[in-house]
């Protein structure tokens, strides 16, 4: 495509954010968290947020597929030339941006989130303690420091809804009710995870998913 | 090889389809669904269908290995120079193309298909409900919309046969009997999955296989 | 290194075989079958066999690490300039070459081979039936055709020994006693698998390992 | 960055060590041992040790992120221009370098280490016998030879602490108390593994982790 067709993604910080989204989509695909176009990602640069579209295979994501929205006006600063749909996660990403001053958000379709939903059918939150990885999980934001190994992290569950956008209110409520969480588990669906930078967001996502895996695998030993 | 030896695969839409087949074969190999030359793939371009051959390692697939057949006349429009055999899946791919107006079809040898065969030894179909991924599975074709999270998708089982081509009649019968399925499970063997475009086909395959995995892990079989 | 230092690996069929060994070593590493320098591989070109050395990380294998031996005289036609040790698998590879007229042999340290050793502590062979993948497993050589889905393939077990080279006699005996097997399982250790070409050998290895995995995973369902 | 900003990492053996660290970090990430910036690695060149920093994503590690320290003076010979923190593992790496004359050390956050902690809640060490991979595990250093298949290797456990650096004394005590171990397991955390060269260190790490996996799977925990 002609570079002019990339609009504000053509250069500068937005281009860097866009290229990062494409690379991280490949990482997330390789981790099994976004197969079949599941999941989503957004990275913020000042007032502008770059968002991967709906329905595009994550491992084939290109700059020309991405949307850019103004956080203040909620208007699209750039839309792809192709007739792509904005991500259905957009309202949820906005909740993380506005309630937490996050600079990126990742939505995974991890099967561990599904399994935890079944292990804790009636809990408001997932809790675990004693794992080294807790030292890599921030208390909502790294501005508040990190958990220690003996702390019990709490990551809230919210129920899944018929449409992704219907998750907005309960996600926002969970974000506000659990200020020391950097992620929310959507039952039978996946997680939303954010951070103070795109690096923090990717690290927080991997740390939380690692905790889920280690917890589930450890739990089998008790059987 | 001389480019003229590629025949109708040398340029245009058929070349694009051929190159996609080679790339997707690598993806499928990395997913563990086509090791040891198991499985198969075809992509359609108008009346012509491009088909990966039998007996070639999927992760080493090249343009020069591919066959092209006319959907109308069932004659080969192009054969590879090397003495390769056409895919034994060809009659099955044709069933998906003609009964569903599909534009691509993927055949996996996923072990989850084998496990489900044993979990449901006497069922006509696999059924599951409550998983977010259902929203990514079309009702046979996206022209009919997608399942909702609370719907119970049904994916038919057919029995395996001594020769792959002998599957044709039962596969066709299952396709016709389950118009809202985008895949068929061959017991102790794998799946056939199709879609309205090659992108849909790859996404449908990943969504169906994800559902199988999540279902089996939820049942505590594959924790 | 100067190309002359590659000796007979510098060009022609031996160079092609050597480059294939390096590429396939990466595939085998990614499959988890040769981590920590475990496992081995050899490819034959006429009277010459190219062999990966002992003690080199498989995913970093280079042409300059490889040995070349004459099948007839058992003398090295080429040794690497670096002081590397020949593979301890060499006598075992020779057994496959001479008893079966194979053109390649792969030795994996697959954990499935270990698990099967414990599932069948007293059996002379592993046997399985009913899996589609049997149609991809040759009766010793593809010259004898392939198994059908309802056949019961038999793959012999031999006991592990203190030194890899001590496996030679029992491996040779198993090869001769099971003419319709294309692989031997060394208890608590891994497998040796061969084929009529390097392609067949890689496909046979993947098919046999797939069968092991599918068998072990299916067996859990009965619990 | 200007090459002069790399300081002593710009050329020679230190640059080679630095580039190896970046490559091996990708390998370790792909193995699932250092996700979310967990884990660490160091390689020694004479008196200088190159160390990956804290808080940088392992799969994106670059030369410009690395620290270099003098083993004798414990002073930094080079720090990255970016405001990065030295690895919290540094005191632990120093213990391996000084107590064992190692030339590299890898710290993984493998979940198998966590699982073994729970399988053996009261043991001073993990022990296993009968696995072929024992022949790839050195008796502390390859200068002392390797285990045989029938030997019982012992790998000590130490308890986790609130801060990584607090592990130093118990790690050093375990290294001294188990001279025939090339690794230490930190309970609920991961392993430290060293070797006579960087190649040995990577091979030892893979061999020890393979043993853990095979042991757990054999016990039917991870089938």
């Amino acid at each position: 495509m002609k570079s002019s067709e990339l609009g504000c993604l053509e250069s500068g910080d937005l281009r860097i954010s866009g290229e990062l989204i494409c690379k991280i989509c490949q990482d997330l695909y390789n981790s099994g968290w976004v197969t079949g176009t599941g999941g989503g990602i957004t990275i913020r640069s000042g007032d502008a947020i770059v968002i991967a579209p709906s329905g595009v295979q994550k491992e084939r994501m290109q700059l020309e597929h991405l949307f850019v929205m103004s956080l203040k006006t909620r208007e699209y600063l750039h839309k792809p030339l192709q007739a792509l749909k904005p991500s259905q996660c957009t309202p949820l990403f906005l909740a993380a941006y506005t309630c937490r001053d996050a600079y990126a958000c990742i939505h995974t379709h991890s099967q561990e989130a599904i399994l935890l939903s079944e292990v804790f059918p009636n809990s408001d939150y997932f809790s675990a303690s004693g794992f080294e990885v807790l030292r890599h999980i921030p208390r909502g934001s790294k501005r508040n420091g990190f958990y220690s190994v003996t702390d019990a992290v709490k990551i809230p569950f919210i129920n899944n809804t018929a449409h992704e956008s219907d998750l907005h209110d309960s996600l926002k409520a969970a974000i506000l009710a659990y200020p020391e969480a950097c992620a929310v588990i959507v039952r039978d669906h996946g997680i939303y995870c954010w951070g103070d930078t795109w690096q923090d967001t990717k690290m927080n996502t991997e740390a939380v998913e690692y905790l889920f895996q280690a917890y589930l695998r450890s739990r089998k030993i008790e059987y």
Side-chain angles (χ1 to χ4, degrees), chain A:
Chain A
M1 77 188 315
K2 282 185 287 182
S3 62
S4 63
E5 296 172 353
L6 286 172
C8 58
L9 282 169
E10 190 177 334
S11 62
D13 284 349
L14 290 178
R15 186 182 182 102
I16 292 172
S17 297
E19 288 175 348
L20 278 165
I21 283 180
C22 298
K23 280 186 203 155
I24 296 173
C25 278
Q26 289 177 347
D27 290 335
L28 297 175
Y29 180 80
N30 291 338
S31 297
W33 296 333
V34 297
T35 57
T37 78
I41 180 170
T42 174
I43 295 180
R44 172 177 164 190
S45 175
D47 173 58
I49 58 173
V50 188
I51 316 174
S54 178
V56 171
Q57 297 167 87
K58 294 292 183 295
E59 76 282 15
R60 288 179 167 78
M61 193 67 66
Q62 303 288 338
L63 268 185
E64 63 220 56
H65 297 134
L66 306 181
F67 286 80
V68 184
M69 179 185 267
S70 162
L71 201 50
K72 199 188 293 174
T73 68
R74 305 292 162 97
E75 282 170 10
Y76 284 105
L77 305 176
H78 173 71
K79 289 186 181 185
L81 285 192
Q82 278 181 267
L84 294 172
K85 287 189 194 166
S87 172
Q88 293 182 300
C89 309
T90 305
L92 306 157
F93 290 153
L94 289 170
Y97 281 131
T98 55
C99 300
R100 290 298 183 87
D101 198 23
Y103 269 74
C105 190
I106 287 173
H107 171 42
T108 74
H109 280 194
S110 71
Q111 298 195 350
E112 282 72 18
I114 297 174
L115 299 182
L116 287 177
S117 309
E118 307 199 4
V119 172
F120 298 100
N122 302 309
S123 306
D124 289 336
Y125 55 82
F126 163 79
S127 186
S129 180
F131 294 92
E132 170 69 14
V133 71
L134 290 170
R135 297 204 309 110
H136 296 261
I137 298 180
R139 292 181 173 278
S141 155
K142 70 183 172 192
R143 294 182 296 270
N144 308 325
F146 289 80
Y147 287 92
S148 71
V149 173
T150 50
D151 286 331
V153 67
K154 291 180 184 175
I155 300 176
F157 284 112
I158 63 174
N159 288 321
N160 202 13
T161 53
H163 300 282
E164 191 120 21
S165 52
D166 294 344
L167 290 169
H168 175 266
D169 291 354
S170 59
L171 183 81
K172 189 169 176 179
I175 289 176
L176 296 174
Y178 292 83
E180 296 213 323
C182 68
V184 169
I185 307 168
V186 186
R187 286 186 175 280
D188 302 318
H189 181 156
I191 73 164
Y192 281 86
C193 186
W194 53 86
D196 301 341
T197 65
W198 72 265
Q199 291 97 331
D200 289 335
T201 303
K202 179 162 178 292
M203 292 189 281
N204 293 352
T205 302
E206 290 184 355
V208 165
E209 294 284 359
Y210 178 101
L211 176 65
F212 292 170
Q213 278 183 21
Y215 179 88
L216 286 165
R217 295 177 75 188
S218 298
R219 205 171 157 273
K220 282 204 305 181
I221 290 169
E222 301 165 17
Y223 286 175

